[in-house]
Amino acid sequence: MLSKIISEENVKEAYSLIKHAENVVIVSHMGPDGDAVGSSLGMYHFLKEINKKATVVLPNDFPAYFKWMPDSDAIVIAEDGLDKAVQILKYCDLLIMIDFNELGRVNVLKPLIEVSNVPKLLIDHHLDPDVNMADVVISHPDISSASELVFRLICRMGFAQQINKSCAESIYTGMMTDTGGFTYNSNQSEIYFIIAELVRKGIDKDLIYRKINFSHTESRLRIMGFCMYKKMRIYPKYHTAVITLTEEEMSRFQTQTGDTEGIVNLPFSIKGIVFSAFFREDKKHGKIKISFRSQGSFPANRVASEHFNGGGHLNAAGGDTRLSLRDTVKRFMEVLPEYEQLLNEVKI
Ligand code: 5GP
Ligand code: MN
């Protein structure tokens, strides 16, 4: 049995919203990762199973290695044609927002959501959600993926039977990717109870791992090699690694969406690295996109929120700047000494 992490009140409220809805739109965050796509599609397959109309709308495109997911080709990408997203949001009667804690994270969808007056349900696992975003807020920062919350909510509403294989595959993808294949944030025993249930629903977890991890482009591996050989700096005093990529470098390696995903984790194979920062130019959005990862107690999200307009989880966070790449890294090196003590305290 799973413990009842979601409150009885939240379950009732969410059930009531879903019961009275016919046409549901599900949205998740910009730069969709496995949990964003997985939790959204998990909810989508469940809603379909109980005969609701459902559409997933994401702000921008998601990596090719998630495109095997059932009905991922039905996902509407707002950046590819905002008019379509406008129409879909206009005619829905319930909005379910998953895996983000503030509307800034949905970029082009933010103004559309702000003007929408349909009921809104938020399912999230980030710290400090903006509770004004939604009528019902299911927020559990202690849970390692939004996909796990979707599973828990469906079960608590009494629909465990309605989780079909497609729903289970989507949920498993989110759980697996948000824990780095169950290598971090993954010590809660109930995660493995849920996995057992998903396997019983017919998922092939080994195949899902291969579809996501062994299906990359040659360019991805090449750019990773380039980053390791030429672009990674190690600062032993701060147990920190820094990697940067310019647009020019990414185009030289014919980088596609998702190709740079995971580069930020590579420095952790070096003994003693506690903090890893990855800075990449994003001219299309006029910013430098930053990914932070940490080990142990070092709060990557504090660095992101205190200095880089961002946030996230203790060990996985991000942010952005409107500075040049050079100035962004300069700023990072200026603020790093503030964290020297915390960085040195981590036992790994
Ligand atoms: P990634 O490095 O994979 O883009 O993001 C890792 C995590 O950091 C995300 O799951 C999200 O929680 C958080 N994050 C990334 N970028 C931002 C941002 O710009 N703002 C906030 N608030 N959180 C972010
Ligand atoms: Mn997530």
Side-chain angles (χ1 to χ4, degrees), residues 237-238 331-343:
K237 186 177 174 193
Y238 301 113
R331 170 122 195 82
F332 178 73
M333 293 315 298
E334 280 162 6
V335 301
L336 200 54
E338 284 176 33
Y339 301 95
E340 185 176 352
Q341 195 182 343
L342 281 175
L343 287 160

Side-chain angles (χ1 to χ4, degrees), residues 118-186:
V118 302
K120 299 183 183 86
L121 166 63
L122 174 69
I123 304 170
D124 184 42
H125 70 134
H126 295 89
L127 285 171
D128 305 324
D130 174 1
V131 291
N132 299 316
M133 263 164 70
D135 303 282
V136 176
V137 174
I138 299 180
S139 162
H140 290 273
D142 47 329
I143 296 296
S144 55
S145 62
S147 297
E148 178 179 339
L149 283 174
V150 168
F151 180 90
R152 287 176 178 275
L153 179 63
I154 295 171
C155 292
R156 287 288 300 288
M157 292 190 300
F159 291 113
Q161 295 298 321
Q162 279 70 30
I163 296 178
N164 58 26
K165 187 179 170 193
S166 299
C167 177
E169 287 176 332
S170 309
I171 287 172
Y172 182 76
T173 297
M175 291 177 66
M176 185 187 87
T177 53
D178 252 20
T179 56
F182 307 102
T183 61
Y184 48 78
N185 288 339
S186 61

